[in-house]
Amino acid sequence: MKKKSILILLLFACIGMVQATNPIDSIHRQMKHLHGKELLLAHSNLCTIAFAIDDSIQELNCLNAYIQEAQRQDNLSEEALARNSKLVCYYNYNMTEQLTTSLPKELDFLAKHKLWSYYYESWSILVDLYIYQNKYRTALREVEKMYADARKRNSRYGLGVASYGMGDVYHHMQNTNEASRAYDEAIRLL
């Protein structure tokens, strides 16, 4: 009986050690000693792991912590990346309401800081959502607004992202001629 108790105790100790050495726990332990860019990289790695294990709650928690740390460090590019990733997370987990309600605020933030690449990439998520929902006319109107916005701002990248989105919309509408023209423009611009 005594041997069984010791074996069971050792088994639980081994299980505890295995659980304590998973990558998430390891990164959390390291984060206590990190600062600056290394700490932001650790946050980014946690988000990547949460994405890989397909856990929406953990991924959103990681992204919120990443955004807060980027704000604390006044690192706009990392904050923009994390905000964009959060929108992608909403899209990936079919959190339509969160995506559509968050997007205007995120676009305002990105425009205010002139982070145009993230601005157009984030906006394109809405176009992808409409395509996924088979709302092709709505997607086309949205991507046309994006194209007009990029033209007004003289953003070559924005025009390229919008052209690619138009290509996707036309492709799903089975209009191969217009899709081909839009994709050709996207290739030229991007």
Side-chain angles (χ1 to χ4, degrees):
M1 187 70 173
K2 195 173 186 183
K3 286 183 181 181
K4 283 185 183 180
S5 296
I6 292 174
L7 284 175
I8 291 172
L9 187 59
L10 285 173
L11 179 64
F12 281 122
C14 289
I15 290 171
M17 288 185 342
V18 168
Q19 288 177 341
T21 59
N22 75 45
I24 294 171
D25 291 339
S26 177
I27 292 171
H28 277 296
R29 277 195 306 278
Q30 291 174 2
M31 288 173 81
K32 296 173 187 173
H33 309 289
L34 298 176
H35 305 282
K37 291 183 183 203
E38 291 83 16
L39 183 54
L40 288 170
L41 180 60
H43 278 284
S44 176
N45 289 339
L46 284 174
C47 295
T48 300
I49 292 169
F51 169 81
I53 61 175
D54 201 26
D55 183 340
S56 64
I57 294 169
Q58 187 168 346
E59 187 173 349
L60 287 170
N61 287 338
C62 287
L63 289 165
N64 287 331
Y66 188 13
I67 291 167
Q68 288 175 353
E69 182 58 30
Q71 288 171 339
R72 193 184 68 68
Q73 292 188 30
D74 199 26
N75 189 321
L76 285 175
S77 63
E78 290 289 326
E79 183 178 352
L81 171 62
R83 285 171 176 257
N84 177 264
S85 297
K86 190 172 179 180
L87 294 171
V88 170
C89 182
Y90 290 148
Y91 175 84
N92 287 342
Y93 290 103
N94 203 24
M95 298 176 173
T96 305
E97 186 176 330
Q98 292 91 330
L99 173 59
T100 56
T101 58
S102 297
L103 185 64
K105 176 184 68 146
E106 298 303 344
L107 292 179
D108 286 345
F109 169 84
L110 296 166
K112 174 184 172 189
H113 296 289
K114 299 182 182 347
L115 298 164
W116 302 117
S117 295
Y118 286 115
Y119 176 84
Y120 291 108
E121 289 169 17
S122 295
W123 196 347
S124 73
I125 296 167
L126 184 60
V127 175
D128 291 341
L129 175 66
Y130 291 144
I131 292 170
Y132 174 74
Q133 295 173 333
N134 298 320
K135 296 179 179 178
Y136 304 131
R137 296 283 177 209
T138 305
L140 188 57
R141 282 191 300 274
E142 195 65 37
V143 80
E144 286 171 344
K145 284 194 289 187
M146 186 191 319
Y147 191 90
D149 182 89
R151 177 172 277 163
K152 181 181 78 177
R153 296 182 198 279
N154 199 28
S155 171
R156 183 178 177 94
Y157 186 76
L159 289 168
V161 171
S163 295
Y164 181 82
M166 277 186 204
D168 279 353
V169 174
Y170 284 126
H171 169 76
H172 282 84
M173 294 172 82
Q174 299 182 2
N175 185 337
T176 55
N177 290 334
E178 289 299 321
S180 179
R181 277 193 276 276
Y183 286 139
D184 284 344
E185 184 177 359
I187 289 168
R188 185 176 50 78
L189 291 166
L190 297 173

